[in-house]
């Protein structure tokens, strides 16, 4: 089902709608740099095509963090947004592939800009149009329920034979006045939640024969669910921003990435990264990597622990970091069964 | 009534030749000797030598930490790709399983479990060693002349001269990190200077 909107939605904040089932974006070459949303201190990718592009071309896998609409009460299978590590975001920014934009701040700044009056007028007009559509739908609904009640009454009368029609009229009329109080309220369609797409789909399916009593004002005031149409079509670019919370193991990460490895967070193995020789969907990881600083004292017990853990799961323990000369030195440790 | 005199343990008598001061140099020497003792008597290593000379001196961290080298009784480390190659060759010849591979001389770095290392120190140790421990260098620790006569099978090309195995010389440097614990157990870890994928035993 394709969602038909009346609004002209900019693309950079909506997840990319699939134009057709076949258009999966396998060959997508997006305009660089691609936007990486920073929300609540986390780096998220909302567009699935961009996420697959980064995985395919730049070996950035990320972790899915969004629940699936079809199966919300489980967390085995997750979807967009894809969360990437600060190291991955830093790497993409350094390579010029991505740029960070602070969603909250960009949104506030866009809202405060009053330069684009035409856009604001469009926005207000579209909101107004929506409220009109809703009112139309309500009128039709009322009309239909009135007809149903009259039909029922007529059936009862013909079955009963005798009655006083005048006395029955009033209660019926009272029944039908239940929501005609005229007070402005948030729109609530009959059985479903108030979302824009619901009202829009109602509008697309219903007939256009509604009787609109007042063409200029409406008793229904729509509370918009998003402010997308107020935002400019392309996100603002911050020049080569540096991520603030990059950990000290970043040189090690970069070194491994340049050597063609894929990396995912290694929390489940007690290390910093699990290092794969290829896509994680195709290979088991080869190493558990920990990045340290050049002169940081390393407890031998930690080395022993890492080596034992790695050998137990058929992985090597990789210890590494950047030397003052700039190059990264790594040591692979495994238990020698003697 | 005097208390019965307890004979010193083999390790104690072996270490008795070193000084009885507690300087760091002596401690490191004793550590190395204890590891060597373990290699010789628990793991049956041959031709164990201790190296002090200037090529293994780690200049920035006096005193010298002596290094050990020796021959394990059988091949200690087979790179996974080498293993694939050997198995393929076996299969081509119609045999099954791994053959006996010639053993290779290994470096051993003695350490105590409570020591604190750093990337710099590991880097310095690797910078100071050669890929293959030299055959005649250093000081032999045990009199192995009788043992050498028995252990001649399959080891000829590695016992004499430089090894010709391409895997030995083209792989990144490796050493055995020996960790001594206070209960006198020694556990060994293979450390490579680089990114080397793990073995899949």
């Amino acid at each position: 089902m394709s969602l038909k909107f009346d609004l002209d939605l900019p693309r950079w904040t909506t997840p990319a709608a699939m134009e057709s089932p076949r258009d999966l974006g396998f060959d997508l070459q997006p305009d660089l740099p691609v936007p990486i949303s920073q929300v609540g201190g986390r780096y998220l990718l909302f567009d699935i095509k961009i996420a697959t592009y980064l995985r395919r071309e730049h070996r950035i896998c990320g972790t899915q963090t969004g629940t699936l609409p079809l199966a919300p009460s489980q967390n085995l299978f997750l979807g967009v947004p894809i969360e990437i590590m600060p190291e991955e975001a830093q790497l993409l920014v350094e390579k010029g592939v991505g740029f960070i934009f602070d969603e909250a701040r960009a949104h506030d700044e866009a809202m405060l800009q009053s330069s684009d009056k035409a856009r604001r007028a469009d926005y207000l007009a579209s909101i107004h149009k929506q409220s009109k559509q809703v009112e139309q739908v309500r009128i039709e609904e009322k009309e239909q329920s009135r007809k149903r009640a009259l039909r029922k009454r007529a059936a009862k009368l013909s079955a009963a034979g005798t009655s006083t029609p005048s006395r029955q009229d009033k209660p019926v009329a009272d029944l039908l006045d239940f929501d005609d109080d005229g007070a402005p309220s948030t729109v609530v369609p009959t059985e479903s939640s108030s979302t824009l797409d619901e009202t829009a789909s109602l509008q697309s399916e219903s007939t256009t024969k509604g009787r609109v009593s007042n063409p200029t004002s409406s008793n229904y005031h729509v509370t918009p669910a998003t402010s997308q149409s107020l935002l400019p079509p392309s996100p603002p670019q911050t020049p080569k921003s540096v991520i603030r919370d990059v950990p000290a193991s970043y040189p090690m990460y970069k070194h491994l990435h340049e050597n063609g490895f894929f990396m995912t967070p290694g929390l489940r193995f007690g290390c910093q990264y699990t290092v794969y020789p290829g896509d994680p969907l195709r290979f088991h990881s080869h190493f558990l990597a920990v990045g340290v600083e050049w002169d940081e004292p390393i407890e031998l017990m930690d080395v022993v622990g890492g080596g034992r853990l790695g050998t137990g799961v058929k992985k090597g323990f990789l210890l590494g970091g950047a030397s003052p000369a700039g190059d990264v030195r790594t040591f692979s440790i495994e238990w020698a069964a003697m | 009534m005097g208390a019965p005199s307890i004979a010193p343990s083999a390790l104690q008598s072996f270490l008795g030749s070193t000084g009885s001061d507690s300087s760091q140099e002596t401690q490191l020497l004793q550590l190395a000797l204890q590891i060597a003792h373990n290699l010789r008597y628990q793991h049956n290593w041959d031709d164990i030598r201790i190296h002090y000379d200037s090529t293994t001196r780690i200049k920035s961290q006096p005193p010298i930490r002596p290094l050990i080298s020796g021959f394990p009784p059988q091949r200690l480390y087979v790179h996974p790709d080498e293993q694939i190659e050997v198995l393929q060759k076996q299969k081509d010849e119609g045999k099954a399983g791994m053959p006996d591979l010639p053993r290779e001389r290994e470096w051993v770095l003695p350490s105590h479990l409570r020591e604190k290392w750093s990337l710099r120190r590991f880097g310095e140790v690797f910078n100071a060693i050669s890929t293959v421990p030299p055959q005649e260098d250093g000081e032999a620790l045990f009199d192995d002349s009788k043992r050498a006569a028995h252990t001649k099978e399959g080891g000829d090309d590695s016992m004499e001269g430089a090894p010709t195995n391409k895997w030995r010389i083209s792989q990144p440097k490796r050493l055995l990190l020996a960790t001594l614990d206070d209960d006198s157990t020694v556990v060994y870890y293979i450390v490579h200077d680089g990114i080397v994928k793990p073995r899949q035993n």
Side-chain angles (χ1 to χ4, degrees), chain A residues 187-199 202:
Chain A
V187 171
V188 178
T190 41
E191 302 107 18
S192 43
S193 57
S194 65
T195 54
L196 248 63
D197 41 357
E198 281 294 330
T199 55
L202 275 171

Side-chain angles (χ1 to χ4, degrees), chain A:
Chain A
M1 177 196 117
S2 57
L3 307 170
K4 288 198 180 18
F5 282 92
D6 267 327
L7 318 169
D8 173 27
L9 293 172
R11 285 295 180 193
W12 54 286
T13 45
T14 47
M18 301 230 189
E19 280 83 46
S20 76
R22 293 189 201 289
D23 181 26
L24 297 169
F26 284 157
D27 305 320
L28 178 75
Q29 295 292 326
D31 299 328
L32 299 179
V34 296
I36 301 171
S37 307
Q38 184 188 5
V39 181
R42 294 155 69 169
Y43 301 96
L44 304 172
L45 303 167
F46 283 92
D47 190 339
I48 188 64
K49 289 188 185 173
I50 289 177
T52 49
Y53 162 76
L54 287 178
R55 190 182 183 121
R56 201 171 61 240
E57 303 289 337
H58 296 282
R59 287 175 273 115
I60 302 285
C61 297
T63 341
Q64 291 100 303
T65 52
T67 48
L68 300 176
L70 287 177
S73 308
Q74 50 86 38
N75 59 1
L76 281 180
F77 300 108
L78 301 171
V80 282
I82 313 279
E83 181 176 357
I84 59 175
M85 297 190 280
E87 297 94 309
E88 291 171 325
Q90 172 72 24
L91 187 83
L92 290 173
V93 167
E94 275 180 14
K95 285 169 74 169
V97 174
F99 70 94
I100 311 295
F101 78 97
D102 187 342
E103 285 261 11
R105 185 180 302 167
H107 182 266
D108 290 344
E109 282 172 1
M111 287 307 212
L112 291 173
Q113 272 171 15
S114 54
S115 54
D116 204 346
K117 293 237 188 290
R119 188 178 299 278
R120 292 197 143 192
D122 280 343
Y123 179 68
L124 287 172
S126 63
I127 299 281
H128 191 67
K129 191 170 167 192
Q130 272 178 51
S131 65
K132 281 263 155 316
Q133 287 165 4
V134 169
E135 184 176 18
Q136 217 161 319
V137 167
R138 298 297 275 169
I139 288 167
E140 278 161 37
E141 276 176 12
K142 256 204 268 187
E143 187 64 35
Q144 279 170 17
S145 69
R146 193 172 80 88
K147 285 193 189 138
R148 271 201 298 274
L150 285 173
R151 253 181 275 128
K152 255 197 236 171
R153 211 184 117 243
K156 262 198 225 156
L157 280 173
S158 58
T162 59
S163 84
T164 54
S166 54
R167 242 190 317 139
Q168 300 282 356
D169 254 331
K170 222 171 163 299
V172 171
D174 285 338
L175 272 172
L176 297 169
D177 286 335
F178 60 98
D179 57 353
D180 199 8
D181 51 0
S185 59
T186 316
V187 171
V188 178
T190 41
E191 302 107 18
S192 43
S193 57
S194 65
T195 54
L196 248 63
D197 41 357
E198 281 294 330
T199 55
S201 62
L202 275 171
Q203 179 260 331
S204 64
E205 286 160 9
S206 63
T207 61
T208 49
K209 280 196 200 150
R211 284 168 238 140
V212 181
S213 51
N214 196 341
T216 51
S217 78
S218 166
N219 285 333
Y220 294 95
H221 292 247
V222 173
T223 306
T226 74
S227 53
Q228 286 169 17
S229 46
L230 268 185
L231 297 169
S234 63
Q237 268 203 40
T238 48
K240 277 279 183 157
S241 51
V242 176
I243 323 272
R244 268 171 287 139
D245 44 355
V246 178
S249 52
Y250 177 68
M252 167 87 154
Y253 175 85
K254 190 164 177 195
H255 175 78
L256 289 172
H257 190 267
E258 278 165 6
N259 280 359
F261 292 102
F262 284 68
M263 260 148 312
T264 60
L267 186 62
R268 73 181 88 179
F269 282 110
C271 61
Q272 286 178 325
Y273 316 110
T274 48
V275 182
Y276 294 80
D279 195 298
L281 288 172
R282 295 178 61 201
F283 295 91
H284 280 298
S285 61
H286 270 182
F287 301 105
L288 311 171
V290 174
V292 291
E293 309 211 22
W294 191 243
D295 283 311
E296 186 179 324
I298 304 162
E299 288 277 354
L300 213 49
M301 281 299 282
D302 292 341
V303 173
V304 164
R308 291 285 198 152
L309 174 63
T311 307
V313 292
K314 292 199 171 88
K315 301 184 205 302
F317 184 69
L318 207 57
L319 195 62
S323 72
D327 63 316
V328 174
R329 200 89 186 252
T330 54
F331 302 105
S332 319
I333 298 160
E334 50 178 327
W335 180 58
M338 293 230 309

Side-chain angles (χ1 to χ4, degrees), chain B residues 45-46 69-79 82 101-107 132-133 135 154-155 157-159 163-169 174:
Chain B
W45 276 42
D46 284 328
S69 72
F71 270 113
Q74 59 254 2
R75 174 78 90 94
L76 187 63
Y77 178 78
V78 183
H79 189 268
E82 184 186 359
L101 294 170
R103 50 200 197 144
E104 292 167 346
R105 205 174 171 82
E106 305 281 352
W107 285 109
V132 184
Q135 195 66 22
D157 72 330
S158 58
M159 290 281 264
T164 52
N165 185 4
K166 69 170 196 276
W167 295 99
R168 186 68 175 101
I169 35 190
R174 70 168 181 258

Side-chain angles (χ1 to χ4, degrees), chain B residues 15-183:
Chain B
L15 290 176
S17 55
T18 64
S20 57
D21 60 296
S22 54
S23 71
Q24 202 173 0
E25 186 142 359
T26 314
Q27 281 189 340
L28 286 174
L29 177 59
Q30 287 183 335
L31 177 65
L33 290 177
Q34 187 164 358
I35 303 288
H37 191 273
N38 181 273
L39 285 171
R40 169 71 176 82
Y41 290 109
Q42 185 179 349
H43 298 289
N44 281 327
W45 276 42
D46 284 328
D47 196 18
I48 297 171
R49 298 177 161 269
I50 189 160
H51 302 261
Y52 307 94
D53 64 358
S54 54
T55 57
T56 60
R57 176 192 290 263
I58 297 143
K59 289 184 174 56
S60 69
Q61 34 167 358
I64 314 162
R65 178 185 294 265
L67 288 180
I68 299 170
S69 72
F71 270 113
Q74 59 254 2
R75 174 78 90 94
L76 187 63
Y77 178 78
V78 183
H79 189 268
D81 293 340
E82 184 186 359
Q83 187 179 28
I84 292 170
E85 198 182 274
V86 166
L87 284 172
Q88 185 62 46
K89 207 159 83 104
Q90 287 282 91
K91 189 170 156 221
D92 292 340
E93 290 170 12
K95 299 182 234 174
M98 282 289 282
D100 281 331
L101 294 170
R103 50 200 197 144
E104 292 167 346
R105 205 174 171 82
E106 305 281 352
W107 285 109
V108 182
L109 175 65
S111 177
H112 193 280
L113 206 54
R114 270 192 266 111
E115 284 191 50
K116 288 202 198 334
W117 285 83
S118 67
L119 287 181
R120 178 193 295 274
R121 289 179 62 192
F122 277 128
E124 281 165 357
V125 172
F126 273 107
N127 289 346
I129 62 171
S130 53
T131 308
V132 184
Q135 195 66 22
E136 295 301 320
D137 208 33
E139 199 184 294
L141 284 175
F142 305 97
D143 177 21
D144 283 342
S145 50
K146 296 195 201 85
R147 283 167 62 91
H150 296 302
T151 58
K152 262 304 183 185
E153 58 338 298
D156 291 77
D157 72 330
S158 58
M159 290 281 264
E160 291 128 31
T164 52
N165 185 4
K166 69 170 196 276
W167 295 99
R168 186 68 175 101
I169 35 190
S170 63
Q171 282 298 310
K173 292 185 197 173
R174 70 168 181 258
L175 53 73
L176 270 184
L177 173 65
T179 53
L180 172 70
D181 201 359
D182 283 340
D183 63 353

